[in-house]
């Protein structure tokens, strides 16, 4: 009787063990997260042209403040304000009567000095001859020679006086030093002017014209290279209206040194200005061709996520998502250049990655409603890491 009970307990134990095992398997299956549906795209290598952006200010290559160099009253203004005046054109006239009289007086003084010189020279020659004949005292001859030297000095002084008077007379007429656009006159007829103090007007050249930008000292060598080797696409100017200026630029000058306070250097780029489209003082954005232009890997910008100032994407590795740190370059439309971290041909997850973590299971293909929300993880800020100083801008075309 005891043996029968023992044998009956064995099937019961097996039945209980099997039921517990099936329950554990079902719990494990329920605990495993399902695969996340995602959409992917392939990273492509495209030929891109990069432009670094610098805030620029249009400036005249030649600009002069017109100031009076003699005292007097304005007696004539011979231009229309704001017009282009040719080189040598008479602009202002200061009362010339006193300077004309001073010039005439200086010429008369010169004529008198020259007459005295002629007489002194003849006396010296005469006494020299008599001295050789021993017919005149040596002292008389010496006095004649001294008088000749004095007369010569007086002539030189009178010539300098004539030159000074003529210069002052010429200063009473102010002419355009070069062809350029003149501004609004700061004085009117009858106004009294003072040498070196009174500003009359400003004239500046317009064609060609310059655009000044400020670069950091680390970029100086690059701009020296651009000064030697410049193409038609190296410099492009974007106007404040948003349109691109249709003329090609080249480096006109690089400042002599680095500003010790800001660590920056001023660079001036010259542009033709045949239509007077650019005016002194205008602002714009100068696009400078980046040295890293060329074939680069690009991915959709919406696939990028930002964490603590660093950028990441999820790559497809069979049925698993792998998180990858990347270094970004400039934005190109809806794409962004990847300087490092993603290779051509790799599959980048563009939609559905918001619910992923590194190593998570994925399945390709999202319902339309979910796919419409794929780009929410993209950073709001611009690309970092690959762009150059001044902010990056790029253009691209397929190979």
């Amino acid at each position: 009787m005891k043996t029968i009970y023992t044998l009956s307990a064995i099937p019961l134990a097996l039945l209980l063990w099997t039921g517990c095992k099936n329950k554990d398997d079902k719990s494990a299956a329920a605990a495993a997260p399902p695969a996340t549906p995602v959409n992917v795209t392939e990273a492509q290598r495209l030929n891109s042209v990069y432009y670094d952006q610098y805030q620029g200010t249009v400036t005249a290559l030649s600009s002069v403040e017109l100031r009076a160099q003699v005292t007097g009253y304005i007696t004539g203004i011979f231009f229309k304000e704001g017009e282009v005046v040719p080189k040598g054109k008479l602009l202002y006239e200061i009362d010339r009567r006193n300077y004309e009289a001073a010039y005439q007086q200086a010429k008369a003084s010169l004529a008198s000095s020259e007459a005295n010189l002629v007489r002194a020279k003849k006396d010296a020659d005469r006494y020299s001859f008599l001295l050789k004949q021993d017919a005149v005292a040596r002292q008389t001859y010496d006095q004649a020679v001294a008088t000749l030297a004095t007369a010569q000095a007086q002539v030189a002084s009178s010539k300098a006086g004539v030159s000074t008077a003529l210069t002052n007379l010429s200063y009473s007429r102010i002419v355009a030093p070069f062809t350029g656009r003149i501004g609004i006159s700061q004085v009117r007829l009858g106004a009294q002017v003072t040498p070196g103090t009174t500003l009359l007007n400003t004239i500046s050249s317009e064609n060609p014209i310059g655009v000044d930008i400020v670069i950091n000292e680390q970029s100086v060598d690059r701009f020296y290279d651009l000064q030697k080797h410049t193409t038609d696409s190296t410099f492009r100017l974007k106007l404040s209206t948003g349109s691109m200026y249709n003329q090609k630029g080249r480096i006109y000058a690089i400042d002599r040194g680095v500003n010790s306070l800001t660590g920056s250097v001023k660079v001036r780029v010259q542009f033709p200005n045949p239509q007077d489209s650019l005016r002194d003082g205008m602002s714009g954005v100068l696009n400078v061709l980046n040295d890293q232009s060329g074939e680069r890997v690009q991915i959709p910008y919406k696939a990028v996520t930002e964490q603590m100032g660093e950028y990441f994407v999820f790559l497809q590795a069979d049925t698993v998502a792998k998180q990858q740190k990347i270094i970004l370059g400039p934005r190109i439309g809806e794409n962004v250049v990847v300087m490092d971290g993603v290779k051509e041909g790799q599959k980048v997850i563009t939609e559905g990655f918001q619910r992923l973590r590194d190593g998570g299971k994925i399945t390709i293909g999202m319902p339309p409603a979910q796919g419409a929300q794929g780009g929410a993880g993209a950073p709001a800020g611009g690309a970092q890491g690959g762009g150059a100083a001044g902010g990056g801008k790029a253009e691209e075309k397929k190979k």
Side-chain angles (χ1 to χ4, degrees):
M1 190 68 179
K2 184 178 179 180
T3 303
I4 293 174
Y5 289 153
T6 302
L7 293 175
S8 299
I10 292 174
L12 180 61
L14 290 174
L15 181 61
L16 293 173
W17 179 80
T18 302
C20 292
K21 183 176 183 300
N22 291 337
K23 183 178 181 180
D24 291 341
D25 290 343
K26 291 179 180 179
S27 300
T36 303
V38 297
N39 287 338
V40 299
T41 189
E42 186 175 294
Q44 296 181 332
R45 182 176 292 274
L46 301 174
N47 186 24
S48 305
V49 179
Y50 299 60
Y51 282 95
D52 302 329
Q53 296 183 338
Y54 296 88
Q55 190 64 39
T57 302
V58 178
T59 183
L61 298 182
S62 298
S63 182
V64 173
E65 291 184 344
L66 303 176
R67 296 182 183 271
Q69 293 181 274
V70 292
T71 303
Y73 295 92
I74 298 295
T75 57
I77 299 178
F78 305 97
F79 63 90
K80 182 180 179 181
E81 295 171 323
E83 70 174 353
V84 175
V85 294
K87 180 179 180 180
K89 176 180 173 59
L90 178 62
L91 303 176
Y92 292 93
E93 185 175 81
I94 300 172
D95 189 357
R96 296 167 54 86
R97 291 173 296 180
N98 289 338
Y99 301 106
E100 183 71 41
Y103 175 59
Q104 296 300 331
Q105 183 179 4
K107 289 203 304 182
S109 178
L110 175 60
S112 176
S113 298
E114 289 176 339
N116 290 334
L117 176 61
V118 171
R119 184 186 62 187
K121 190 174 186 308
K122 289 181 178 180
D123 288 345
D125 291 342
R126 185 181 304 111
Y127 287 126
S128 175
F129 175 77
L130 293 175
L131 182 63
K132 292 178 182 179
Q133 302 299 322
D134 205 17
V136 68
R138 180 75 182 187
Q139 182 179 5
T140 303
Y141 169 74
D142 291 341
Q143 289 177 347
V145 172
T147 301
L148 175 60
T150 301
Q152 290 173 335
Q154 288 176 344
V155 169
S157 177
S158 297
K159 287 182 178 180
V162 170
S163 178
T164 300
L166 182 59
T167 299
N168 289 335
L169 181 60
S170 67
Y171 285 159
S172 66
R173 285 184 173 177
I174 299 168
V175 300
F178 51 80
T179 299
R181 189 174 298 277
I182 194 165
I184 297 176
S185 180
Q186 302 299 304
V187 295
R188 298 302 174 193
L189 286 174
Q192 185 176 16
V193 295
T194 304
T197 302
T198 307
L199 174 64
L200 305 179
N201 211 320
T202 301
I203 183 173
S204 57
S205 62
E206 290 192 329
N207 186 25
I209 202 164
V211 175
D212 287 351
I213 62 173
V214 176
I215 64 172
N216 57 45
E217 58 182 309
Q218 290 79 16
S219 302
V220 173
D221 289 340
R222 172 193 174 194
F223 277 81
Y224 274 121
D225 290 339
L226 291 177
Q227 191 175 26
K228 299 174 184 177
H229 308 96
T230 300
T231 66
D232 289 345
S233 60
T234 301
F235 299 102
R236 300 178 62 191
L237 180 63
K238 185 177 182 180
L239 305 178
S240 58
T241 58
S243 61
M244 300 300 297
Y245 188 57
N246 61 357
Q247 298 289 339
K248 308 301 186 295
R250 64 180 181 84
I251 293 182
Y252 178 79
I254 300 175
D255 208 355
R256 60 175 184 81
V258 178
N259 188 310
S260 59
L261 297 178
T262 62
S264 60
V265 180
K266 181 183 289 187
V267 176
R268 180 165 293 175
V269 180
Q270 175 181 308
F271 286 89
N273 191 29
Q275 305 299 324
D276 293 337
S277 303
L278 302 180
R279 296 292 183 91
D280 188 23
M282 292 177 61
S283 61
V285 176
L286 184 67
N287 296 317
V288 182
L289 186 66
N290 191 285
D291 297 336
Q292 295 180 332
S293 293
E295 293 187 351
R296 297 291 178 183
V297 174
Q298 296 183 22
I299 62 172
Y301 184 60
K302 65 180 181 179
V304 181
T305 59
E306 180 182 7
Q307 299 177 12
M308 304 294 290
E310 297 180 330
Y311 296 90
F312 299 86
V313 294
F314 282 97
L315 302 178
Q316 178 192 0
D318 294 330
T319 60
V320 175
K322 178 184 177 183
Q323 191 176 40
Q324 176 67 42
K325 180 181 177 180
I326 60 175
I327 297 177
L328 296 185
R331 287 280 301 272
I332 306 177
E334 295 182 354
N335 289 352
V336 64
V337 174
V338 179
M339 307 301 293
D340 189 32
V342 176
K343 297 181 180 179
E344 180 184 8
Q346 287 187 301
K347 300 297 181 63
V348 179
I349 297 175
T350 58
E351 296 174 329
F353 58 82
Q354 295 85 354
R355 298 177 295 277
L356 286 177
R357 57 184 177 182
D358 193 18
K361 293 286 187 178
I362 59 172
T363 180
I364 305 302
M366 291 184 63
Q370 294 179 345
Q373 302 174 359
Q384 300 290 333
K393 180 185 179 183
E395 299 175 350
E396 58 98 359
K397 55 183 178 180
K398 293 184 182 289
K399 294 174 57 179

